Amino acid sequence: MTGISRSAQAWRRGAAVLAAGALATAGLTACSSSSTSGGASSTSTAGANDMAAALQKKSTLTVWAWAPQDKDIAAAFEKKYPNVTVNLVNAGTSTTEYTKLQNAIKAGSGVPDVAQIEYYALPQFALAGSIQSLDGYGLDSLKSDYPAAVWDAIDINGSLDATPQDTGPMALFYNEKVFKQYGLTVPTTWDEYVADGVKLHAANSSEYITADSGDPGFTTSMIWQAGGKPFTATGSTSVTINTQDAGTKKYTAEWDQLEEKGLLSQIAPWSSAWFTALGNGDIASLVTGAWMPANLEGSAAAASGDWRVAPMPTYDGGSPASAESGGSSDAVMKGSSNALVAAAFVQFMGTDAGEQILADSGGFPAENSILNSSAFLDQAPAYFGGQKINQVLSQAASSVLPGWSYMPFQVYANSIYPDSVGKAYANKTDIYAAVSTWFKASAAYGQQQGFTVTVQ
Amino acid sequence: MTVLSPGTGLEAGSAGPRRERRRGRVRTRWTGWGFLAPFLLVFLFALVAPIVYAVYLSLFQDKLIGGNRFAGLANYTEAFKDPQFWSGFERMALFLVVQVPVMLVLALGVAFAIDSARLHWAPLYRLSIFLPYAVPSVVGALMWGFLYGTQFGLLGQLDRWFHTTLPDPLGNTLILPAIGNIVTWEYVGYNMLIFYSALRVIPNEIYEAAELDNAGAWRIIWHIKLPSLRPAMLVATVFSVIGSFQLFTEPAVIFPIAKDQIGSAYTPNWYAYNLSFNGQEYNYSATIAIVMGVLTVIVAYLVQRIGRRGQEA
């Protein structure tokens, strides 16, 4: 009796092992088949030829992207390569898309061939091995076509992981009418900017120099512009997070003067109240990315003719310095059954044809040839009183400080920002202490995720 | 030889009825299962399977670097010393201790008022107080979020009209009471209905007897209505305790307009949600969910026990 039940147990165990084995092999074959379609060709040097051949075959690409210009870019691509059908899906903007992407990767199905990923989120996907490297497709020669900081952001640990789409070199957008009315000088240093903020709010308590209720992207960009480098990744598994970073201290000490004295409007960005305040002058300036003009024109039309663009203030008033805020790249996802065509598509998006469409419809391109073209530089939009704003913004693109890197788990880090830095903004307390807390909490997450994290 | 041979008449004859009987027993056994099957299938797939899967998940750790591996109880030991989780738990405990009594007393008062037969249009009151419960809680929270808004909402408009600065309900100190207010608004009607229906089943004879004894309205409430409401109050309290610990919708809907106040771990459920959907920590999130579930069961059980003991005494 016991013999029978024991043998039955053994049989069951055996079946379970077999089933598990079958699953595992299925998984393995799935992996290997996907890697042969993309991986094998990625090591070959004849990538460009393979790409050209693949584009002549009938195929369908699934692309997740949210930029408004992508529809036209996809149409142009289909026109050039009639055998390729691009299935463009708006899977949400930014973190909404990343959550869906992570879930699809986790589930192992439904991952698109190409996904739009912002520069700050790219390392997270790249280091997790979710992105198909573009090495060997003949794209490395494009390096000199982009500003150095842009290339730094897509070339992670010596592997090209995406092509640039739009960028956001930062500049100072200010309402000239308000500045004149209250006798404010257009600042060249942050001290002058702070002084303007004090003067403006003292003169009219409903006016603020800018709105900032705590935003992780803004905080990291401002640290970047102050010359900070709090995060350094060595290899793909170890990160150093420096809470003593000089740039972090420089920026927070400056910004604290506005934050702790309540000189920053607490209107949430991108809300309708925010656009109203930008339109009626209650928010007198914004330090933000070069993609802002189209948003101002579209949603703060009341202030048409009033806004101007100036280079970002610096700490010493010396040589210009800027940082990137936002901006996206397009990556080929690992497991794409059509990696060659996908690579061709991201190349199309990030180079001449795609970038030109982007620039023509209000996006801020990454490519030097467009940034320096006279057609681009000579635009003088009436919204900005005829100022040739692209000259300022192009200049900003070339003065972005090199050598910055994000945490390889920046997306999660940004999601816990409200717990520490957000609280400091709400309570008007020291930003530096809160940023340190934020860095440490992010480091703890990194450690949980298996990274070797050194906190300094 | 006859013993070994399977085809002999003797064996077949002796085994026949036994086999028959066994088959009959088997059939009745399966008939029973057949009747149970619809319930059992739903029960297994909708209740048992997710719990088993969550427990299974909670025993692993899937890392960005290093992949998936068995972790034993490591997630649980981490949960027990996780300050984020416990601060959320404490916040909900505070919420429970303050909001649940306020809500139940209000519901009780309304139920008494409607039951007193002194109101004109009693069904109208009953219905309008119950109405918020019929509004989806997401819509309710959105609506309140708009009323609370100091920049874009009703409060902001009042401030602009009267040139005042009313305290911000979504600010640091008032946000928990503000959420409590939304929950109270939503569930007073529901609890009122539980109390009201319990009041309706009190036999009329008891009221008649009380009248003969010259008992006033307050005496009737104290000596007749309240004691007979006890079981209903117990049920409502247990439901509310569970509801408080599971608080999720209101903070989730208010998060976009009060990011800094809500943060990522305002309530245990909100924390579990953020862990899995922002941090891809599905395993730890499952652990938090299980720990929270067990804690809720314990608290609900204690409340029920205390309530029962009071009843017996």
Side-chain angles (χ1 to χ4, degrees):
Chain A
M1 197 56 214
T2 47
I4 292 166
S5 71
R6 201 174 291 157
S7 72
Q9 264 176 12
W11 184 85
R12 244 176 262 139
R13 214 178 297 141
V17 169
L18 274 177
L23 280 173
T25 27
L28 281 174
T29 42
C31 283
S32 60
S33 73
S34 64
S35 64
T36 41
S37 63
S41 53
S42 75
T43 49
S44 81
T45 44
N49 294 338
D50 290 348
M51 257 153 75
L55 285 167
Q56 299 312 318
K57 291 188 202 129
K58 268 237 169 310
S59 58
T60 305
L61 273 189
T62 303
V63 177
W64 283 10
W66 66 80
Q69 300 88 359
D70 291 331
K71 215 174 162 182
D72 294 335
I73 297 174
F77 185 78
E78 283 177 329
K79 201 173 166 198
K80 192 170 176 191
Y81 305 105
N83 285 323
V84 182
T85 312
V86 179
N87 179 16
L88 186 68
V89 180
N90 185 345
T93 300
S94 190
T95 49
T96 315
E97 191 211 65
Y98 306 149
T99 302
K100 285 183 191 165
L101 205 52
Q102 299 269 25
N103 289 345
I105 291 166
K106 179 92 186 160
S109 70
V111 182
D113 297 292
V114 173
Q116 177 177 358
I117 298 174
E118 284 160 288
Y119 299 114
Y120 86 88
L122 196 60
Q124 179 161 331
F125 288 96
L127 294 180
S130 315
I131 284 175
Q132 171 70 53
S133 167
L134 295 175
D135 288 342
Y137 288 89
L139 300 179
D140 344 4
S141 60
L142 299 174
K143 184 173 179 175
S144 56
D145 295 349
Y146 303 99
V150 171
W151 197 262
D152 279 353
I154 55 172
D155 193 48
I156 297 159
N157 285 322
S159 151
L160 180 63
D161 286 309
T163 58
Q165 183 168 13
D166 65 334
T167 62
M170 291 172 91
L172 173 69
F173 292 76
Y174 66 99
N175 189 319
E176 193 186 45
K177 203 170 104 184
V178 176
F179 267 58
K180 277 195 177 141
Q181 188 184 340
Y182 293 97
L184 309 179
T185 50
V186 179
T188 54
T189 67
W190 286 114
D191 286 338
E192 285 172 20
Y193 188 72
V194 170
D196 280 347
V198 173
K199 192 174 170 187
L200 177 64
H201 193 66
N204 182 343
S205 65
S206 65
E207 295 268 1
Y208 292 91
I209 189 73
T210 191
D212 177 24
S213 50
D215 177 79
F218 182 73
T219 303
T220 45
S221 291
M222 291 296 280
I223 292 172
W224 180 348
Q225 198 251 352
K229 282 169 196 164
F231 321 122
T232 36
T234 32
S236 59
T237 58
S238 76
V239 196
T240 303
I241 295 178
N242 185 2
T243 57
Q244 302 298 320
D245 177 70
T248 309
K249 287 182 175 168
K250 212 185 209 179
Y251 157 63
T252 50
E254 192 77 54
W255 210 248
D256 247 352
Q257 302 174 49
L258 293 171
E259 186 255 355
E260 288 196 41
K261 286 179 196 150
L263 297 173
L264 298 167
S265 165
Q266 295 300 298
I267 298 176
W270 307 104
S271 63
S272 63
W274 188 67
F275 279 114
T276 309
L278 290 172
N280 67 18
D282 280 356
I283 300 173
S285 75
L286 280 181
V287 181
T288 191
W291 32 258
M292 195 64 208
N295 295 298
L296 279 174
E297 286 177 46
S299 304
S304 183
D306 298 342
W307 285 83
R308 297 290 182 274
V309 185
M312 207 170 168
T314 56
Y315 288 85
D316 55 4
S319 55
S322 184
E324 291 282 344
S325 165
S328 300
S329 63
D330 297 294
V332 176
M333 301 309 293
K334 185 138 294 154
S336 162
S337 55
N338 210 351
L340 283 167
V341 177
F345 183 72
V346 297
Q347 181 181 11
F348 184 86
M349 285 184 106
T351 50
D352 309 335
E355 287 282 88
Q356 193 61 56
I357 295 172
L358 181 93
D360 289 345
S361 42
F364 195 83
E367 213 179 16
N368 285 332
S369 60
I370 299 178
L371 289 175
N372 299 328
S373 71
S374 54
F376 184 72
L377 290 173
D378 290 343
Q379 281 173 23
Y383 187 90
F384 292 91
Q387 186 195 2
K388 291 179 179 173
I389 58 169
N390 284 343
Q391 296 190 344
V392 182
L393 298 174
S394 267
Q395 183 58 43
S398 55
S399 60
V400 171
L401 298 179
W404 170 266
S405 59
Y406 285 104
M407 284 184 258
F409 31 82
Q410 193 73 41
V411 178
Y412 182 75
N414 285 4
S415 81
I416 59 168
Y417 175 96
D419 295 346
S420 45
V421 193
K423 287 251 163 10
Y425 269 84
N427 301 334
K428 298 194 172 49
T429 55
D430 185 27
I431 308 178
Y432 173 69
V435 166
S436 300
T437 312
W438 178 42
F439 285 179
K440 283 175 196 151
S442 307
Y445 172 80
Q447 230 135 20
Q448 272 169 22
Q449 288 295 325
F451 288 93
T452 313
V453 187
T454 317
V455 181
Q456 286 173 348
Chain B
M1 206 200 90
T2 44
V3 180
L4 286 175
S5 143
T8 57
L10 186 88
E11 234 217 74
S14 65
R18 210 187 299 156
R19 216 176 270 164
E20 199 96 292
R21 224 180 298 142
R22 205 182 289 160
R23 209 178 288 150
R25 212 184 297 149
V26 167
R27 195 181 298 142
T28 44
R29 210 194 290 155
W30 284 109
T31 322
W33 283 111
F35 279 111
L36 265 179
F39 161 76
L40 213 59
L41 278 179
V42 172
F43 180 73
L44 283 177
F45 278 96
L47 268 157
V48 179
I51 292 175
V52 170
Y53 185 58
V55 171
Y56 167 81
L57 274 182
S58 72
L59 300 176
F60 286 81
Q61 280 180 346
D62 190 0
K63 301 186 172 189
L64 218 55
I65 307 292
N68 202 3
R69 63 177 184 86
F70 184 73
L73 295 176
N75 286 329
Y76 288 92
T77 48
E78 202 191 315
F80 278 107
K81 50 186 191 188
D82 183 345
Q84 297 259 65
F85 170 66
W86 289 107
S87 77
F89 181 80
E90 276 165 28
R91 188 174 291 118
M92 284 310 98
L94 174 71
F95 183 84
L96 189 153
V97 169
V98 177
Q99 187 265 339
V100 172
V102 167
M103 174 178 69
L104 292 183
V105 166
L106 278 175
L108 201 61
V110 176
F112 282 148
I114 291 174
D115 186 59
S116 70
R118 292 178 191 201
L119 288 178
H120 286 287
W121 308 102
L124 179 77
Y125 291 108
R126 206 170 61 214
L127 202 70
S128 51
I129 289 169
F130 183 71
L131 204 62
Y133 181 70
V135 174
S137 53
V138 172
V139 177
L142 275 174
M143 223 163 66
W144 278 100
F146 174 75
L147 294 177
Y148 287 156
T150 46
Q151 274 144 11
F152 53 87
L154 180 72
L155 218 67
Q157 275 167 357
L158 287 177
D159 276 349
R160 252 162 277 145
W161 284 337
F162 301 112
H163 301 285
T164 52
T165 315
L166 294 167
D168 182 5
L170 300 177
N172 210 6
T173 45
L174 286 180
I175 188 152
L176 194 61
I179 290 176
N181 181 40
I182 301 176
V183 176
T184 307
W185 174 81
E186 275 169 342
Y187 288 98
V188 157
Y190 174 78
N191 290 303
M192 174 269 290
L193 218 61
I194 295 180
F195 295 148
Y196 178 72
S197 49
L199 286 173
R200 299 304 291 171
V201 297
I202 299 173
N204 245 332
E205 293 81 24
I206 299 181
Y207 290 130
E208 279 165 20
E211 236 163 273
L212 284 177
D213 288 343
N214 253 343
W218 291 110
R219 247 200 132 83
I220 289 177
I221 284 183
W222 192 249
H223 287 288
I224 297 172
K225 291 188 177 179
L226 273 179
S228 30
L229 271 182
R230 224 188 189 126
M233 264 149 71
L234 192 62
V235 168
T237 312
V238 171
F239 281 174
S240 306
V241 166
I242 295 172
S244 302
F245 277 132
Q246 306 283 332
L247 196 69
F248 174 78
T249 316
E250 289 76 14
V253 171
I254 289 189
F255 176 71
I257 53 172
K259 274 198 171 70
D260 300 337
Q261 309 303 347
I262 303 276
S264 69
Y266 198 73
T267 79
N269 273 9
W270 177 239
Y271 185 41
Y273 173 85
N274 279 317
L275 282 174
S276 62
F277 291 104
N278 283 326
Q280 277 70 49
E281 293 189 277
Y282 304 101
N283 306 95
Y284 189 50
S285 173
T287 313
I288 293 285
I290 290 164
V291 172
M292 197 56 219
V294 171
L295 287 173
T296 310
V297 168
I298 292 173
V299 174
Y301 176 75
L302 286 178
V303 168
Q304 204 163 4
R305 233 187 117 104
I306 293 164
R308 282 254 177 76
R309 198 180 296 154
Q311 210 168 336
E312 280 154 18

